[in-house]
Amino acid sequence: MTATTIRDTSAPLSHRPGRWIDGWNPEDGDQWASTGRAVARRNLGLSIFAEFLGFAVWALWSIVVPQLPAAGFDLTVDQMFWLIALPSLVGAALRIPYTFAVPVFGGRNWTVVSALLLLVPTVALAFAVQHPELGFGALLAVAALAGVGGGNFASSMANISFFYPEREKGRALGLNAAGGNLGTAAVQFAVPLVIVGAAGLELERAGLMFVPLVLVAALLAWRYMDNVSSAKADPRSYGVAARSRNTWIISFIYIGTFGSFIGFSGAFPTLLKNQFPEVTMSIAFAGALVGSIARPLGGALADRLGGARVTVVAFLVMAVGVVCAIFALRAHAFGPFLASFLVLFVATGAGNGSVYRMIPAVFRFGATDDDDRSRRVKAAAGCLGIAGAVGAFGGFLIPRGFAVSTTATGNIQAALWVIVGMYVVMGVTTWAVYQRRTGAYGTTVI
């Protein structure tokens, strides 16, 4: 969900050239039952496919980097983690401008454009990995291009938020987010299979495999998706949200959940390659897979138990998972190491869903009348956009933390202990602000 609104309209539903829809109002029960639901579902399905590819391209370097030495590149550990981290940094920075692109250009039009933009990082990667003589700076620039895939999440979520009524928006956005997250697991599963050719390692296939998929996604979006003419951005909601301390507290918490999902997903293949070279890297996809599946489950649990409560438990499980991973590393025990990380990934996914459930509840608390409630809904939408962008920076911080730890101590254990400490701080913060009975929210379930 993003800082966007649909203007109330009583105009009849009509279509214009370019697949523009006039008079769209999902809150109109008759319109929704007769044609609205079918149109929304069609756009959701195609949006998920395009966003799935965006996440896959965003995570592409996570599975390519461990293969670079075999392709003739001479890279330090620090340089390898830079190549993993930079796409996350760029993707996080692009999330807010991508949100505003949908109302400006139209959801269908921007889906086509953002999908075709994925050709730039994939074709550039296919070229770069065939030239080991390229300097690290050039390689870093090519990796940065993959950040456009991270921006796709924000525009996709903004677009789908226009199509659904409030009562069904949570489920639709949850499906959209989970479908996109699965792109990370898919690319980590597919690339190790695709790059093995008759001539040995053919790493350029990791980029070229996306060309037909991107073209199909763009064609389907162009042919079957729609633009909603009444959808307008509300930049003021970002200003309102930015002035609320809750926005920044929740953004800090979301770095721990979504940032951990992206950061550990990106670093996991390289960790396996460095720590357990005897194990096939194809298992790396399992972490992102279980984390993606757990996201909607975390949201469902939060609906029943409260978002703050589920988030606190998620941080506790994440901390235990990382501690167990540290001891597994010391014993060089792959089985316990993998199990610890899978538990960690499940908890990050559940935490992603529960934090998103917390946001509307936090901003809704204390509403005095309909006008106040409307202002709070807009502030919550702005918070969702800001937290989504800030949280993605965790995908940069975790790989860089591993690089600094390895350079300073020779291993990643120091970084992992710092992460455990951060989870404790984030969990306590969530409890103290949003769950403590003597706090501002009292017995209200947040």
Side-chain angles (χ1 to χ4, degrees), residues 118-409:
L118 298 177
L119 294 175
V120 177
T122 53
V123 172
L125 181 146
F127 170 81
V129 296
Q130 297 180 77
H131 294 82
E133 70 277 6
L134 284 177
F136 174 66
L139 208 59
L140 198 62
V142 174
L145 295 174
V148 298
N152 281 15
F153 173 84
S155 59
S156 180
M157 295 289 275
N159 185 38
I160 294 306
S161 73
F162 291 132
F163 280 96
Y164 279 84
E166 288 298 326
R167 64 185 180 277
E168 297 188 33
K169 193 171 290 188
R171 179 175 178 273
L173 293 177
L175 289 171
N176 197 51
N181 289 174
L182 283 170
T184 303
V187 74
Q188 292 180 346
F189 174 78
V191 166
L193 302 177
V194 170
I195 61 177
V196 178
L201 182 66
E202 298 183 39
L203 197 52
E204 69 277 7
R205 291 183 177 183
L208 296 177
M209 65 183 281
F210 283 97
V211 173
L213 295 173
V214 166
L215 293 176
V216 168
L219 179 61
L220 290 175
W222 179 260
R223 180 67 182 85
Y224 296 110
M225 290 187 72
D226 301 288
N227 301 305
V228 177
S229 60
S230 57
K232 299 297 178 183
D234 187 7
R236 291 173 300 177
S237 66
Y238 277 94
V240 174
R243 291 191 293 272
S244 171
R245 74 173 190 129
N246 285 311
T247 295
W248 304 108
I249 294 171
I250 291 170
S251 296
F252 172 66
I253 293 168
Y254 202 51
I255 291 175
T257 57
F258 182 72
S260 291
F261 172 79
I262 290 296
F264 281 117
S265 294
F268 197 41
T270 299
L271 291 183
L272 289 178
K273 184 77 170 180
N274 292 343
Q275 305 296 328
F276 300 95
E278 70 277 10
V279 175
T280 175
M281 260 200 326
S282 60
I283 196 65
F285 83 98
L289 176 63
V290 298
S292 301
I293 294 172
R295 180 166 187 154
L297 298 178
L301 278 175
D303 284 337
R304 297 185 63 180
L305 305 175
R309 184 175 300 169
V310 174
T311 302
V312 170
V313 173
F315 278 125
L316 174 62
V317 175
M318 290 159 64
V320 171
V322 175
V323 170
C324 291
I326 292 171
F327 286 104
L329 280 174
R330 291 179 178 178
H332 195 74
F334 172 71
F337 176 80
L338 178 62
S340 299
F341 259 86
L342 291 181
V343 169
L344 168 64
F345 274 111
V346 168
T348 64
N352 290 338
S354 62
V355 172
Y356 257 49
R357 159 61 174 76
M358 284 173 57
I359 293 173
V362 166
F363 280 86
R364 186 170 58 241
F365 178 81
T368 56
D369 53 39
D370 288 343
D371 288 341
D372 186 32
R373 190 173 295 106
S374 177
R375 287 191 294 270
R376 289 170 179 270
V377 167
K378 291 181 179 181
C383 176
L384 284 165
I386 293 171
V390 174
F393 279 101
F396 172 80
L397 296 173
I398 287 178
R400 289 308 307 150
F402 287 162
V404 171
S405 178
T406 301
T407 300
T409 68

